[in-house]
Amino acid sequence: MKKQVLVTVDRGETRVAILESSKEAPSGQGRRGRRGRGGPELASGFRAAEVYIERLGNRSIVGNIYKGVVDNVLPGLEAAFVDIGLDKNGFLHVDEIVLPGVEKVQRGRGAAKGPSIGDLIKPGQEVVVQVVKDPLKTKGARLSMEITIAGRYMVFAPTGEGVGVSRRLEDSERERLRKEAKQLDLNGGGAIIRTAAHGAKREDFLRELQYLFKLNEVLQKRVADAKAPAMVFQEADLSVRVVRDIFSAHFERAVVDDEQQHHRLVSFFTRTAPELVDRVELWESDEPLLEAYGVEEVIQGMLSKRVDLPSGGYLLIDYAEALTVIDVNTGSFIGRGKGARLEDTITKTNLEAADEVVNQLRLRDIGGIIVIDFIDMARARNRDAVLKTLRKALDEDRTKTFVVEISPLGLVEMTRQNVTEGVREIMTRTCPTCDGEGVIKSEETIAIDVERQLRELCKQTADDGPEAYLIRVNPRVSGQFVGDGAKMLHDLEAATGRFFHFSGSDSLPLDHFTIIMESTRAEVQEAAVPFRDGDEIKVDIIEPHMYEVDDAVAKIDGYVISVSGAGPFVGSKRLVRIESAGRTAATATLIDLTDEERTQIEEDRKAEARRESARKSAKTRRENKAREDGAAKGRAAKATPKAALDGLEAEVELPVDGADVAAPVDGEAPVPVDGEVAGEGSGERKSRRGRRGGRRRKKSDEPDGNDGTGEAVATEAASDDGAAGAEAGEGDDALESAPRRRGRRGGRRRSRATSDEGGTADNVSETTSD
C-alpha cells in the first residue's frame, strides 16, 4: 500500500497527515493537487488515514525523559507518584521500575512474587523516568524507569538486554533482521528493531547505533547535572517523530510547506537514511497544502458524530469517560436489485462499517474501550465475514489493539491503546454551559425553578418583606413570565402579594438568577424600566409586528419595543424615540426618516387605505346581494303560480272512508291521529305523502270554493325542497286546509272559525303537528 506524508506548519500549530492509497477514496479526499518543487503532479486516489496535531505550548510529552522525585508510595496500589515538574505528578507502577541488580518481575494483578514497591523506592528518592502516556483528563502522565531512545530503524534501551524484532513484520523478514543484527555491540544495553527497518542491512544498524550512543551520552551528562525535578531529554517534534517512525520504502514522498521544517527533515534523513532525502519535497504553491489534498474537509468531519457510508448507511460515534460507542445503521440503504434480501442488506452495511470504523479510530485516535454495535445478522458466516474485515483493517493500525468475538447481541468489544490526545480533544473543549453533559435545562424549567425560589423567599419574609423585587435573569427566562399575557407573572404576584420586575441581557448564562433590588413598587419599577419617555435610541428592527402591518418590533435584552411605521425597515438599524415605556414593553416612533422615506411611507399608507376601503366595499356588496337573494326566494315561495297549484291538485289522494279522527277542540282545527290529517266531522282520513309528509286537500261541493256561507281561505305551504304552497277553497263541510310544513319537524295548520257574534271570524288558530 502506497503512502504519503503531508506536513503543514502554521503559526502555533503543526499538522501531519498520513495518506494511504485507496481504490475508493471517500468524498472530499484524494483530490488532485498542484506540483511541488521538481516533483510530479500530486496523485489522486489517496485518502487520509491518520491526522496528528501539535500546538505550541501543548506538545505531547510522550518520550520525554525527566529526573524526578518520588512524592508518595502507595503499597495498596503497588504504585508511586513522582514529581516531574508538571501540574500533576506522574504515575509509576511497580512493573515499570527498573533498578541495577534487581530482576524485573511482571506481576500484573496477580499475587506479588517479587519485592514490594516500598522495598524498591522511597519517598524523596530521585529517579530517572520516561513518559509513556500523556496526561489525559484527570490523570497524570504514565511513567516508566525503562529508558529508551528511538531511532529510525532501532530503539535503544540502555538498561535493557538482547535484540527484539517487531512482530508486525513477516516471519521471514524478522528472521533475516535477526541475522543482520546478530553480534551487534550494544554497550551493555538492548535494542528493538522497528517495523520501519524492513529491508535494512547491517550497515544501516551500525550507522544508527553510533547516533543513538551519542544521544545516550548527552542524556547521562544532563542527568548528572540537572536538579530534580527537571526535563533532561525532549522527544523530537511532531513532524520529525512521525516521519521517523513510519517513513519507509512504502512511502512515495513527504511534502512540507515550511522551509525551516523542510530543512530539519532533510538534515534528519541525511544522518539516518541518505537514500530517502530526495523524497522530501517542499510545497511552493499558494494553495494550502491540506486543502489541495482534501484533508482539511476530513479534519472538520472528525468533529461530527455522524459518519456516512458509501451505500447510504451511517455510523454514530458517542464518547463517554471510559469508552467509545459506535452504532451502525442502514440509513437510506434498502438493498440492491429486486431480489435484495434483508440479510444481504444488513451484511453489506456491516462490511462497509467495519472498514470505516477502523478508519475513524485511526483518524480520531480513539483509545480505551470501544464497543461497536453492528446490525444483528442471522447467519454465522456473515458475522465471521464482518469480524474478519474488521481485523484485517486493524492490521494497518500502528496502535496496539485487542478485539473480542462478536457477541450474541451483535456487539464487538475491543480495546485500543490510548497514548496521546486525539484531534477531537485538541480542537475542542468542554461546553461551559452543559459542562459536557450535552444537554441543558430548558427556559421553561429554569423559569419554574425561579418561580419556586421566589415563592419560598416571599414565604420566609412573610409580612416583613419588601413590596417589590428586581430579578436579574436571562431574557429568555423572563420571557416565560411575561409571555402569553404575563399569566405566569400575574399568578405569582397574586399568590405572594408582591410585585416582580426583571432585567438582564442575552450574555447571561441561561440559569443565572440574582435579586438585585428590594424596595417599594414605584422604586423598583423606576429602576427596572430601561428607558424613559422621550429617550432616543438606536435599535435593530428584527421582525414585523404581529398585528399591525405598518409597524415592526425591536428587542434589547428581551425588552420589546414596538416601532410605529417601521414595517418597511425590518433588518435595519434605526433611530427611534420612546413614546411610552412600560414594564415589559415600549412603543416608539422613527425619527431619522429622510424626506423620501416619509413620502414613501405616506404613499404606502394611502395605498393600503385604498385597498382596505375596496375590500370593505366588496364585502358590503356581497352582503347586500346575499340579503336580496334571500328576500327574493321568500317572495317566490309565498306567491306560487296557479299552474303549480293545478299540478299539485292532480297529485292529491282521496280520503279513505271510515278513518278514525280525533275529536277537535272548540275553535281549533282537528287533531291528527297517528301522524295523519283528518277532515272535521267527515270521518275521512288524509294521509301524508312520502317520507317527510305531504299534503291532502278535500274539495268542497262548490267548485269555486264559495257557497255563500264561507269564504275562500288561501293557505301557504312550503316543502323542504322549495315546492310552492297550495290554495284551497273552504265550505261549511271543509273548515280545514292542507297542513303547512315548517322547518324539519312538521308545519302548522290554520282553520277559520266563526265568532260568537256570528258571521265570519278573523281568528285563526294554529296547531303544530309533529
Side-chain angles (χ1 to χ4, degrees), residues 207-459:
R207 182 178 64 249
E208 185 162 278
L209 276 176
Q210 298 303 316
Y211 170 70
L212 297 176
F213 290 160
K214 194 170 186 180
L215 288 178
N216 186 45
E217 291 176 5
V218 174
L219 171 63
Q220 299 303 325
K221 184 176 184 303
R222 291 181 178 177
V223 169
D225 297 339
K227 182 179 180 181
M231 181 176 65
V232 294
F233 177 84
Q234 185 175 20
E235 180 63 293
D237 61 12
L238 178 64
S239 59
V240 175
R241 187 169 66 248
V242 172
V243 173
R244 177 197 67 194
D245 294 346
I246 62 178
F247 208 125
S248 65
H250 296 288
F251 283 84
E252 292 183 347
R253 77 183 82 189
V255 185
V256 188
D257 66 355
D258 182 73
E259 292 186 5
Q260 184 177 0
Q261 200 68 27
H262 176 264
H263 177 72
R264 295 187 62 184
L265 291 178
V266 170
S267 299
F268 172 77
F269 282 116
T270 301
R271 295 192 305 269
T272 59
E275 70 278 6
L276 299 179
V277 172
D278 293 339
R279 300 188 187 183
V280 181
E281 301 178 3
L282 179 63
W283 179 263
E284 297 179 334
S285 172
D286 294 334
E287 183 178 7
L289 176 61
L290 297 187
E291 289 187 9
Y293 278 83
V295 179
E296 193 68 44
E297 300 174 14
V298 177
I299 293 176
Q300 298 302 321
M302 285 189 286
L303 303 180
S304 174
K305 292 177 57 176
R306 172 166 173 157
V307 179
D308 293 324
L309 301 175
S311 65
Y314 62 92
L315 309 177
L316 283 179
I317 304 176
D318 287 311
Y319 302 89
E321 179 69 21
L323 79 159
T324 302
V325 180
I326 303 177
D327 184 32
V328 182
N329 299 279
T330 55
S332 61
F333 181 54
I334 58 175
R336 300 286 175 83
K338 296 182 179 179
R341 297 179 299 175
L342 176 62
E343 182 73 8
D344 297 336
T345 302
I346 292 175
T347 303
K348 179 174 176 57
T349 303
N350 284 339
L351 289 173
E352 290 182 353
D355 185 66
E356 186 60 32
V357 162
V358 177
N359 186 42
Q360 293 299 319
L361 295 181
R362 297 175 63 190
L363 276 173
R364 303 178 185 223
D365 198 13
I366 299 175
I369 301 174
I370 302 166
V371 177
I372 309 170
D373 183 11
F374 287 105
I375 307 173
D376 293 339
M377 293 168 286
R379 297 181 180 178
R381 66 179 183 181
N382 292 337
R383 295 194 293 269
D384 294 340
V386 171
L387 189 61
K388 182 178 179 181
T389 301
L390 179 68
R391 287 177 169 167
K392 183 178 179 181
L394 286 172
D395 290 340
E396 298 296 329
D397 189 5
R398 298 183 297 114
T399 305
K400 294 180 182 179
T401 57
F402 177 74
V403 182
V404 183
E405 299 289 336
I406 296 182
S407 72
L409 298 177
L411 303 178
V412 172
E413 301 173 16
M414 62 174 291
T415 60
R416 188 172 185 269
Q417 188 178 17
N418 200 356
V419 177
T420 62
E421 290 184 330
V423 175
R424 176 176 174 268
E425 287 75 17
I426 295 175
M427 297 182 63
T428 62
R429 67 182 181 91
T430 302
C431 173
T433 302
C434 70
D435 198 23
E437 295 295 329
V439 295
I440 61 174
K441 290 183 178 180
S442 66
E443 293 86 345
E444 183 180 8
T445 301
I446 297 174
I448 293 175
D449 290 342
V450 170
E451 180 186 19
R452 187 177 295 113
Q453 295 182 54
L454 293 176
R455 287 178 184 269
E456 184 65 23
L457 175 64
C458 295
K459 182 178 179 181

Side-chain angles (χ1 to χ4, degrees), residues 560-580:
V560 179
I561 302 176
S562 299
V563 185
S564 177
F569 306 107
V570 173
S572 62
K573 184 183 288 292
R574 309 298 300 211
L575 184 65
V576 301
R577 178 186 294 109
I578 303 297
E579 300 295 340
S580 176

Side-chain angles (χ1 to χ4, degrees), residues 38 305 391 503 505 520 539 560 705 736:
K305 292 177 57 176
R391 287 177 169 167
S503 69
S505 63
T520 63
V539 297
V560 179
E736 180 188 356

Side-chain angles (χ1 to χ4, degrees), residues 145-163:
M145 291 180 65
E146 186 172 4
I147 307 302
T148 60
I149 303 174
R152 181 171 178 270
Y153 299 123
M154 306 175 67
V155 176
F156 175 58
T159 58
E161 58 182 19
V163 177

